[in-house]
Amino acid sequence: MNETNFTNKVLNAIQYVVDIKEVKRPVHLHEPYFNDTNSWKYVKDCLDTGWVSSAGSWVNLFEKKLCELTGSPFTVSVSNGTVALRLALYVLGVNSGDEVIIPPLSFVATANAVAHLGATPHFVDIDKDNLGLCAKSLKHRLDKIGLKKNGLTFNKQTGKRIAAVIPVHVFGMPANMPEIVEVLKEWNIPIIEDAAEALGSFLNYGDKKIHCGLMGDLGTLSFNGNKIITTGGGGALLIKKKSLAEKIKHISTTAKIPHLWNYDHDEIGWNDRLPNLNAALGCAQLEDLQSRLEKKSLLSKSYFEVFKEIKEVEFIRDNTKNISNHWLSTIRLLDNDIDQVKEKRNSLLNSAFSKKIYLRPAWRPLHLLPMYRNSPKGDLSVIKDQEFRLINLPSSPQII
Ligand SMILES: *Cc1c(COP(=O)(O)O)cnc(C)c1O
């Protein structure tokens, strides 16, 4: 049968690259890795000294190392990537009743962070090549619905302010930030880059390499268990302006006014800080980042080579000079007939799961989730076509 044939070809290709022995299964999509790192040593230091909670030297060191690695002037580490997004939106002035433009292809956290502040996500289509927010669709949408008033931009159909845009660097591939920034200049809308998946990914910009998250006003990272490095749970903000860094530190630290013994708070803050325990783990994981990036690049190259032979499939590669961290390797099913695509996809996923090789379809597009079904949206023909075509492959660096 057609699907069976196809399924076998794809699974054979994966097994050729990953050299999966029965004993090595299950093969997860992306697993945390602690062997050969200082994880135990650094976490033990927290236990030995009693510094386990939301202050301590590992937090400071983790933030310093993130600055060095990314080139960000400031970073604030927080309890997860969703919180990082919510804080970024908050300090840039996003409020209840606003709209925030996001792409429909992302983890649900991107939309949720907007909704947590009482704002509404407004969906604009993706770029087929890098799977991030499409600059042309963004321009087209703003030209159609944008209305400038007193230096701000409003949606003339809903009357709501468009208070921010969140491009996402999907699966570690940099979105087309230079064009997105160019489009938004005209509209004076702040940009938050969701770089949750993109630690170690850089944009090629002129003769410079700029880490993802540093072309907009703020960038956010996640260190969840499935990301390239993990702190157990955690996130961070990449910040260029000192005033914003101070504001974020303050509001994420219960808005406590620093003092030797006084407990004084000057606004309603959050308790969003990253505990020292998690930061210690993060420091150990960061020491292994370079090696992970190299392994993931090799894994991606190897997948690319084997999938060249399968004509029904395209291995997705960023053809720009940008540098991806190759967080998740991804194939695209190419059949013209979308019903064929769905059948092949389902057959492949079912068969892979029964063999304990955990492939994953791309996320359900956010505009189709019940809580975001009525959100404003532009023309979404690219995501509608791509939804069933995208399949993530096992991508842990330790499998190659
Ligand atoms: C993981 C992820 C987040 C959220 O991070 P958490 O640490 O899980 O809260 C946000 N956006 C994207 C694109 C992600 O992949």
Side-chain angles (χ1 to χ4, degrees), residues 80-83 85 106-107 109-110 168 194 196-197 222-224 226-227 234 327 363:
N80 60 59
T82 313
V83 153
L85 281 168
S106 186
F107 180 54
T110 316
V168 181
D194 184 343
E197 305 174 356
S222 164
F223 310 113
N224 187 36
N226 63 352
K227 299 299 199 289
W327 177 55
W363 306 281

Side-chain angles (χ1 to χ4, degrees), residues 250-251 254-258 263-269:
H250 186 63
I251 197 74
T254 63
K256 183 177 181 295
I257 301 165
Y263 264 79
D264 225 349
H265 308 259
D266 58 2
E267 59 183 306
I268 301 174

Side-chain angles (χ1 to χ4, degrees), residues 277-310:
L277 262 178
N278 302 75
L281 186 54
C283 288
Q285 292 268 294
L286 270 183
E287 291 172 352
D288 197 42
L289 180 67
Q290 203 49 45
S291 140
R292 289 179 195 195
L293 289 169
E294 283 161 21
K295 285 182 190 152
K296 286 168 84 64
S297 168
L298 181 63
L299 183 63
S300 164
K301 275 200 191 89
S302 311
Y303 276 139
F304 174 70
E305 291 300 327
V306 292
F307 279 105
K308 263 193 206 160
E309 311 296 323
I310 305 178

Side-chain angles (χ1 to χ4, degrees), residues 131-200:
L131 306 179
L133 183 66
C134 172
K136 284 190 185 61
S137 303
L138 180 64
K139 177 170 172 27
H140 188 254
R141 183 67 179 157
L142 284 168
D143 285 342
K144 186 167 175 198
I145 56 109
L147 177 72
K148 286 186 218 170
K149 219 164 47 185
N150 306 327
L152 302 174
T153 295
F154 291 80
N155 177 345
K156 60 184 166 202
Q157 294 177 346
T158 60
K160 293 184 174 186
R161 181 169 71 116
I162 299 175
V165 174
I166 312 181
V168 181
H169 303 291
V170 177
F171 308 143
M173 277 181 292
N176 187 352
M177 288 310 299
E179 273 189 43
I180 292 171
V181 168
E182 194 55 39
V183 169
L184 291 173
K185 244 187 222 157
E186 193 195 324
W187 296 94
N188 191 30
I189 305 174
I191 307 171
I192 297 161
E193 290 174 60
D194 184 343
E197 305 174 356
L199 182 70

Side-chain angles (χ1 to χ4, degrees), residues 11 20 32 37 61 79 84 104 110 126 130 132 163 184 211 240 275 288 299 303 319 348 350 365 384 388:
L11 289 179
I20 304 168
T37 71
L61 183 63
S79 53
T110 316
I126 59 163
N130 59 45
L184 291 173
H211 193 278
K240 288 184 284 194
D288 197 42
L299 183 63
Y303 276 139
N319 288 321
L348 174 59
N350 281 329
K384 280 177 189 157
F388 298 102

Side-chain angles (χ1 to χ4, degrees), residues 8 15 22 126 128-129 142 213 228 259 277 301 368:
N8 288 340
Q15 291 181 71
E22 286 300 330
I126 59 163
K128 192 183 149 196
D129 294 332
L142 284 168
I228 188 163
H259 190 275
L277 262 178
K301 275 200 191 89
L368 299 176

